[in-house]
Every structure is written in C-alpha cells, then in structure tokens.
Amino acid sequence: MEEVKKEFGKHYLIELIGCDKEKIQFLKDVQEPFLQAARKSKTKILKHLFHQFEPFGVTGVIIISWSHFAIHTWPEAEYVALDILTCGEMDPEITIADLKHAFNAQEVNVKIIPRGF
Amino acid sequence: MEEVKKEFGKHYLIELIGCDKEKIQFLKDVQEPFLQAARKSKTKILKHLFHQFEPFGVTGVIIISWSHFAIHTWPEAEYVALDILTCGEMDPEITIADLKHAFNAQEVNVKIIPRGF
C-alpha cells in the first residue's frame, strides 16, 4: 500500500467475482445484506440511498461519519463492485467477508488506497 | 494505470488540496457546485444524498447509471476527498476541473483505478 503524509482514511476497492446472480439482481436481495454488513463494521450509519435498475442491477450508497460505502451489482456478469472509505476504528474486513458470503462470491480482490496528501 | 481483462468502469480517486475552507464547510456551499459539476460530465443524475456534519464538513453522494460520485470535505485541513466511478462516455475531467475552481483548490492529485476482473 502506498503512503501519504497526512492520511484521512483508507479507501478499499473490492471486486466480488463469480457471485450468485440470483442474489444480486434486486433491491430486496441486496439492500438488507449490505446495510447489515455495514453495521457490523463498527460504524454508525447516518443515511442511505439505493436504486433499482431495469431489468436488474442495484446501486446503493451508505453515508457514515466522513466516510461511505458504495455497491454496484452487474448480475449478468456475476460481478459486484464494492467500495468502502474507512475512518477511525471501523473494520471493513467484516463487511467484505459478510458480503462475500451473502452473494456467494467465488473470488474477492481488494485494493487499499490511502486518502490524503 | 493498471489493467483488468473485463473492465466495468474506471474509479477516479481525487484529492483536492489547499481548498478555501470557507467554501467547503456547509451544505449550502458544497451541494449545488457538486451537483452542477456532476451534470457537466455528460451523465444523468438519478438520486443524490447529502449530510451536514457539526460544526462543519459535508458528505455527499450522487447515484448515476451503475456509477457514483462521492465527496467528503475536511474544512479544518482545507482538504476534499472526491471519488468518481465512471461508466460509458462520461468525462470526469470536467467535474474535477469545475470543483477545483469552485473550492479554489491549490493542488489536485488523481489516481485512476480500473474496476473489474
């Protein structure tokens, strides 16, 4: 991981690959697991917003203190792009593991980029 | 920039450094420039969500088609973390230039990370 002199957070860019497409098509299947997984990372959710695409595919964002979670699903490719900008004591690994399980992902790639200057 | 075999989008992680702190403290100053700058990148805004922190600092997210914009401001550090997950034909450079101008940033650092697998 690169370094910055003054770090304000770490940005996790996560690719969830080989997901069960039945589990990532609709809001009803994505929203609650995403919110639950975010809550388990020891953070407080301030606001959240989701969008259902037609015929399938979901985008969701969760605002936490000076940070966010975002998710985009591509059921036709069995792929989910997840990103987590962390702050303070939160533990994104729990969220990642939970969503890997929820969507039955076969492979997970994570990049961690420090944010700051 | 790294490459992936199957690319679903490009993730721009942008640090706006040395901003005018008076311009990044409150929702009233951040929300409209952010929405305007997003609109100029040739994309359609589907939904947006903002949060005002006390005593100052703003977080905002904009959902576009299978993509998003997110902003977090740290007025005390004259710093803004911006991220843009692009799709299709949109041009994030316009948004970045507009926000650099709006917040009077002295320096801009951009990392571009391909999303996919």
PDB file of all heavy atoms in Angstrom, chain A residues 35 44-50 61-64 69, chain B residues 27 49-52 59 61:
ATOM      1  N   LEU A  35     -26.703  -3.281   4.214  1.00  0.00           N
ATOM      2  CA  LEU A  35     -26.843  -2.482   5.436  1.00  0.00           C
ATOM      3  C   LEU A  35     -26.361  -3.272   6.658  1.00  0.00           C
ATOM      4  O   LEU A  35     -25.653  -2.746   7.516  1.00  0.00           O
ATOM      5  CB  LEU A  35     -28.301  -2.044   5.628  1.00  0.00           C
ATOM      6  CG  LEU A  35     -28.795  -0.971   4.655  1.00  0.00           C
ATOM      7  CD1 LEU A  35     -30.311  -0.804   4.762  1.00  0.00           C
ATOM      8  CD2 LEU A  35     -28.109   0.372   4.921  1.00  0.00           C
ATOM      9  N   LYS A  44     -21.485   3.796  12.495  1.00  0.00           N
ATOM     10  CA  LYS A  44     -22.869   4.231  12.632  1.00  0.00           C
ATOM     11  C   LYS A  44     -23.355   4.746  11.284  1.00  0.00           C
ATOM     12  O   LYS A  44     -22.757   5.653  10.701  1.00  0.00           O
ATOM     13  CB  LYS A  44     -22.960   5.347  13.681  1.00  0.00           C
ATOM     14  CG  LYS A  44     -24.391   5.746  13.992  1.00  0.00           C
ATOM     15  CD  LYS A  44     -24.435   6.682  15.199  1.00  0.00           C
ATOM     16  CE  LYS A  44     -25.797   7.331  15.330  1.00  0.00           C
ATOM     17  NZ  LYS A  44     -25.876   8.664  14.721  1.00  0.00           N
ATOM     18  N   ILE A  45     -24.427   4.148  10.789  1.00  0.00           N
ATOM     19  CA  ILE A  45     -24.996   4.583   9.516  1.00  0.00           C
ATOM     20  C   ILE A  45     -25.800   5.865   9.735  1.00  0.00           C
ATOM     21  O   ILE A  45     -26.652   5.932  10.609  1.00  0.00           O
ATOM     22  CB  ILE A  45     -25.903   3.473   8.939  1.00  0.00           C
ATOM     23  CG1 ILE A  45     -25.039   2.270   8.530  1.00  0.00           C
ATOM     24  CG2 ILE A  45     -26.720   3.991   7.755  1.00  0.00           C
ATOM     25  CD1 ILE A  45     -25.832   1.068   8.051  1.00  0.00           C
ATOM     26  N   LEU A  46     -25.487   6.887   8.935  1.00  0.00           N
ATOM     27  CA  LEU A  46     -26.204   8.163   9.044  1.00  0.00           C
ATOM     28  C   LEU A  46     -27.361   8.223   8.050  1.00  0.00           C
ATOM     29  O   LEU A  46     -28.467   8.631   8.404  1.00  0.00           O
ATOM     30  CB  LEU A  46     -25.246   9.325   8.799  1.00  0.00           C
ATOM     31  CG  LEU A  46     -24.109   9.443   9.826  1.00  0.00           C
ATOM     32  CD1 LEU A  46     -23.102  10.496   9.381  1.00  0.00           C
ATOM     33  CD2 LEU A  46     -24.657   9.803  11.202  1.00  0.00           C
ATOM     34  N   LYS A  47     -27.099   7.839   6.813  1.00  0.00           N
ATOM     35  CA  LYS A  47     -28.119   7.895   5.757  1.00  0.00           C
ATOM     36  C   LYS A  47     -27.797   6.850   4.705  1.00  0.00           C
ATOM     37  O   LYS A  47     -26.622   6.471   4.560  1.00  0.00           O
ATOM     38  CB  LYS A  47     -28.107   9.276   5.082  1.00  0.00           C
ATOM     39  CG  LYS A  47     -28.633  10.397   5.945  1.00  0.00           C
ATOM     40  CD  LYS A  47     -28.465  11.762   5.292  1.00  0.00           C
ATOM     41  CE  LYS A  47     -28.973  12.850   6.232  1.00  0.00           C
ATOM     42  NZ  LYS A  47     -28.586  14.189   5.818  1.00  0.00           N
ATOM     43  N   HIS A  48     -28.796   6.402   3.979  1.00  0.00           N
ATOM     44  CA  HIS A  48     -28.500   5.503   2.860  1.00  0.00           C
ATOM     45  C   HIS A  48     -29.479   5.732   1.718  1.00  0.00           C
ATOM     46  O   HIS A  48     -30.567   6.299   1.916  1.00  0.00           O
ATOM     47  CB  HIS A  48     -28.499   4.043   3.306  1.00  0.00           C
ATOM     48  CG  HIS A  48     -29.763   3.596   3.962  1.00  0.00           C
ATOM     49  ND1 HIS A  48     -30.877   3.249   3.249  1.00  0.00           N
ATOM     50  CD2 HIS A  48     -30.087   3.452   5.264  1.00  0.00           C
ATOM     51  CE1 HIS A  48     -31.828   2.903   4.101  1.00  0.00           C
ATOM     52  NE2 HIS A  48     -31.387   3.020   5.325  1.00  0.00           N
ATOM     53  N   LEU A  49     -29.065   5.289   0.531  1.00  0.00           N
ATOM     54  CA  LEU A  49     -29.809   5.555  -0.692  1.00  0.00           C
ATOM     55  C   LEU A  49     -29.556   4.404  -1.666  1.00  0.00           C
ATOM     56  O   LEU A  49     -28.403   4.004  -1.863  1.00  0.00           O
ATOM     57  CB  LEU A  49     -29.259   6.864  -1.293  1.00  0.00           C
ATOM     58  CG  LEU A  49     -29.891   7.429  -2.550  1.00  0.00           C
ATOM     59  CD1 LEU A  49     -31.313   7.907  -2.262  1.00  0.00           C
ATOM     60  CD2 LEU A  49     -29.062   8.615  -3.066  1.00  0.00           C
ATOM     61  N   PHE A  50     -30.640   3.878  -2.254  1.00  0.00           N
ATOM     62  CA  PHE A  50     -30.495   2.754  -3.184  1.00  0.00           C
ATOM     63  C   PHE A  50     -31.253   3.050  -4.477  1.00  0.00           C
ATOM     64  O   PHE A  50     -32.189   3.847  -4.493  1.00  0.00           O
ATOM     65  CB  PHE A  50     -31.045   1.463  -2.546  1.00  0.00           C
ATOM     66  CG  PHE A  50     -30.152   0.904  -1.471  1.00  0.00           C
ATOM     67  CD1 PHE A  50     -30.214   1.386  -0.175  1.00  0.00           C
ATOM     68  CD2 PHE A  50     -29.222  -0.076  -1.766  1.00  0.00           C
ATOM     69  CE1 PHE A  50     -29.378   0.889   0.819  1.00  0.00           C
ATOM     70  CE2 PHE A  50     -28.378  -0.581  -0.790  1.00  0.00           C
ATOM     71  CZ  PHE A  50     -28.459  -0.097   0.505  1.00  0.00           C
ATOM     72  N   VAL A  61     -25.653   3.386  -1.758  1.00  0.00           N
ATOM     73  CA  VAL A  61     -24.612   4.114  -1.039  1.00  0.00           C
ATOM     74  C   VAL A  61     -25.065   4.331   0.400  1.00  0.00           C
ATOM     75  O   VAL A  61     -26.238   4.558   0.669  1.00  0.00           O
ATOM     76  CB  VAL A  61     -24.284   5.484  -1.697  1.00  0.00           C
ATOM     77  CG1 VAL A  61     -23.483   5.297  -2.965  1.00  0.00           C
ATOM     78  CG2 VAL A  61     -25.540   6.284  -1.982  1.00  0.00           C
ATOM     79  N   ILE A  62     -24.110   4.242   1.295  1.00  0.00           N
ATOM     80  CA  ILE A  62     -24.366   4.434   2.721  1.00  0.00           C
ATOM     81  C   ILE A  62     -23.408   5.512   3.208  1.00  0.00           C
ATOM     82  O   ILE A  62     -22.195   5.406   2.988  1.00  0.00           O
ATOM     83  CB  ILE A  62     -24.106   3.132   3.503  1.00  0.00           C
ATOM     84  CG1 ILE A  62     -25.022   2.005   3.021  1.00  0.00           C
ATOM     85  CG2 ILE A  62     -24.277   3.363   5.005  1.00  0.00           C
ATOM     86  CD1 ILE A  62     -24.669   0.639   3.619  1.00  0.00           C
ATOM     87  N   ILE A  63     -23.944   6.544   3.840  1.00  0.00           N
ATOM     88  CA  ILE A  63     -23.088   7.587   4.416  1.00  0.00           C
ATOM     89  C   ILE A  63     -22.868   7.279   5.892  1.00  0.00           C
ATOM     90  O   ILE A  63     -23.819   7.087   6.646  1.00  0.00           O
ATOM     91  CB  ILE A  63     -23.714   8.991   4.259  1.00  0.00           C
ATOM     92  CG1 ILE A  63     -23.782   9.387   2.779  1.00  0.00           C
ATOM     93  CG2 ILE A  63     -22.929  10.024   5.055  1.00  0.00           C
ATOM     94  CD1 ILE A  63     -24.409  10.771   2.535  1.00  0.00           C
ATOM     95  N   ILE A  64     -21.592   7.220   6.289  1.00  0.00           N
ATOM     96  CA  ILE A  64     -21.225   7.129   7.698  1.00  0.00           C
ATOM     97  C   ILE A  64     -20.369   8.356   7.997  1.00  0.00           C
ATOM     98  O   ILE A  64     -20.224   9.229   7.141  1.00  0.00           O
ATOM     99  CB  ILE A  64     -20.464   5.809   7.981  1.00  0.00           C
ATOM    100  CG1 ILE A  64     -19.230   5.687   7.079  1.00  0.00           C
ATOM    101  CG2 ILE A  64     -21.389   4.616   7.742  1.00  0.00           C
ATOM    102  CD1 ILE A  64     -18.393   4.465   7.347  1.00  0.00           C
ATOM    103  N   PHE A  69     -19.899   3.793   2.122  1.00  0.00           N
ATOM    104  CA  PHE A  69     -19.905   2.503   1.462  1.00  0.00           C
ATOM    105  C   PHE A  69     -20.668   2.703   0.143  1.00  0.00           C
ATOM    106  O   PHE A  69     -21.669   3.421   0.120  1.00  0.00           O
ATOM    107  CB  PHE A  69     -20.698   1.452   2.249  1.00  0.00           C
ATOM    108  CG  PHE A  69     -20.102   1.054   3.571  1.00  0.00           C
ATOM    109  CD1 PHE A  69     -20.162   1.890   4.668  1.00  0.00           C
ATOM    110  CD2 PHE A  69     -19.521  -0.189   3.724  1.00  0.00           C
ATOM    111  CE1 PHE A  69     -19.630   1.513   5.884  1.00  0.00           C
ATOM    112  CE2 PHE A  69     -18.988  -0.582   4.943  1.00  0.00           C
ATOM    113  CZ  PHE A  69     -19.033   0.270   6.028  1.00  0.00           C
TER     114      PHE A  69
ATOM    115  N   LEU B  27     -23.264  22.668   3.663  1.00  0.00           N
ATOM    116  CA  LEU B  27     -24.054  22.083   2.596  1.00  0.00           C
ATOM    117  C   LEU B  27     -24.411  23.113   1.525  1.00  0.00           C
ATOM    118  O   LEU B  27     -24.336  22.835   0.322  1.00  0.00           O
ATOM    119  CB  LEU B  27     -25.339  21.539   3.236  1.00  0.00           C
ATOM    120  CG  LEU B  27     -26.047  20.374   2.595  1.00  0.00           C
ATOM    121  CD1 LEU B  27     -25.106  19.210   2.398  1.00  0.00           C
ATOM    122  CD2 LEU B  27     -27.219  19.937   3.465  1.00  0.00           C
ATOM    123  N   LEU B  49     -27.752  12.366  -2.217  1.00  0.00           N
ATOM    124  CA  LEU B  49     -27.924  12.346  -0.762  1.00  0.00           C
ATOM    125  C   LEU B  49     -26.763  13.108  -0.136  1.00  0.00           C
ATOM    126  O   LEU B  49     -25.601  12.872  -0.498  1.00  0.00           O
ATOM    127  CB  LEU B  49     -27.887  10.872  -0.309  1.00  0.00           C
ATOM    128  CG  LEU B  49     -28.099  10.537   1.160  1.00  0.00           C
ATOM    129  CD1 LEU B  49     -29.536  10.874   1.567  1.00  0.00           C
ATOM    130  CD2 LEU B  49     -27.830   9.056   1.406  1.00  0.00           C
ATOM    131  N   PHE B  50     -27.082  14.020   0.787  1.00  0.00           N
ATOM    132  CA  PHE B  50     -26.022  14.813   1.428  1.00  0.00           C
ATOM    133  C   PHE B  50     -26.179  14.783   2.944  1.00  0.00           C
ATOM    134  O   PHE B  50     -27.271  14.536   3.459  1.00  0.00           O
ATOM    135  CB  PHE B  50     -26.085  16.275   0.938  1.00  0.00           C
ATOM    136  CG  PHE B  50     -25.596  16.448  -0.469  1.00  0.00           C
ATOM    137  CD1 PHE B  50     -26.443  16.222  -1.548  1.00  0.00           C
ATOM    138  CD2 PHE B  50     -24.290  16.809  -0.724  1.00  0.00           C
ATOM    139  CE1 PHE B  50     -25.990  16.360  -2.855  1.00  0.00           C
ATOM    140  CE2 PHE B  50     -23.828  16.954  -2.032  1.00  0.00           C
ATOM    141  CZ  PHE B  50     -24.678  16.731  -3.090  1.00  0.00           C
ATOM    142  N   HIS B  51     -25.095  15.053   3.634  1.00  0.00           N
ATOM    143  CA  HIS B  51     -25.130  15.135   5.097  1.00  0.00           C
ATOM    144  C   HIS B  51     -24.232  16.270   5.576  1.00  0.00           C
ATOM    145  O   HIS B  51     -23.075  16.377   5.155  1.00  0.00           O
ATOM    146  CB  HIS B  51     -24.674  13.800   5.711  1.00  0.00           C
ATOM    147  CG  HIS B  51     -24.823  13.766   7.193  1.00  0.00           C
ATOM    148  ND1 HIS B  51     -26.035  13.550   7.813  1.00  0.00           N
ATOM    149  CD2 HIS B  51     -23.927  13.954   8.185  1.00  0.00           C
ATOM    150  CE1 HIS B  51     -25.872  13.586   9.119  1.00  0.00           C
ATOM    151  NE2 HIS B  51     -24.606  13.840   9.376  1.00  0.00           N
ATOM    152  N   GLN B  52     -24.779  17.103   6.466  1.00  0.00           N
ATOM    153  CA  GLN B  52     -24.003  18.189   7.083  1.00  0.00           C
ATOM    154  C   GLN B  52     -23.469  17.714   8.426  1.00  0.00           C
ATOM    155  O   GLN B  52     -24.253  17.302   9.290  1.00  0.00           O
ATOM    156  CB  GLN B  52     -24.908  19.408   7.286  1.00  0.00           C
ATOM    157  CG  GLN B  52     -24.268  20.559   8.064  1.00  0.00           C
ATOM    158  CD  GLN B  52     -23.192  21.275   7.247  1.00  0.00           C
ATOM    159  OE1 GLN B  52     -23.453  21.763   6.176  1.00  0.00           O
ATOM    160  NE2 GLN B  52     -21.964  21.328   7.775  1.00  0.00           N
ATOM    161  N   THR B  59     -20.637  15.569   3.573  1.00  0.00           N
ATOM    162  CA  THR B  59     -20.500  14.375   2.746  1.00  0.00           C
ATOM    163  C   THR B  59     -21.661  14.360   1.762  1.00  0.00           C
ATOM    164  O   THR B  59     -22.796  14.692   2.131  1.00  0.00           O
ATOM    165  CB  THR B  59     -20.511  13.096   3.607  1.00  0.00           C
ATOM    166  OG1 THR B  59     -19.256  12.971   4.270  1.00  0.00           O
ATOM    167  CG2 THR B  59     -20.707  11.847   2.764  1.00  0.00           C
ATOM    168  N   VAL B  61     -23.261  12.072  -1.838  1.00  0.00           N
ATOM    169  CA  VAL B  61     -23.131  11.017  -2.851  1.00  0.00           C
ATOM    170  C   VAL B  61     -24.195  11.234  -3.921  1.00  0.00           C
ATOM    171  O   VAL B  61     -25.316  11.660  -3.638  1.00  0.00           O
ATOM    172  CB  VAL B  61     -23.271   9.599  -2.249  1.00  0.00           C
ATOM    173  CG1 VAL B  61     -22.026   9.204  -1.482  1.00  0.00           C
ATOM    174  CG2 VAL B  61     -24.494   9.477  -1.364  1.00  0.00           C
TER     175      VAL B  61
END
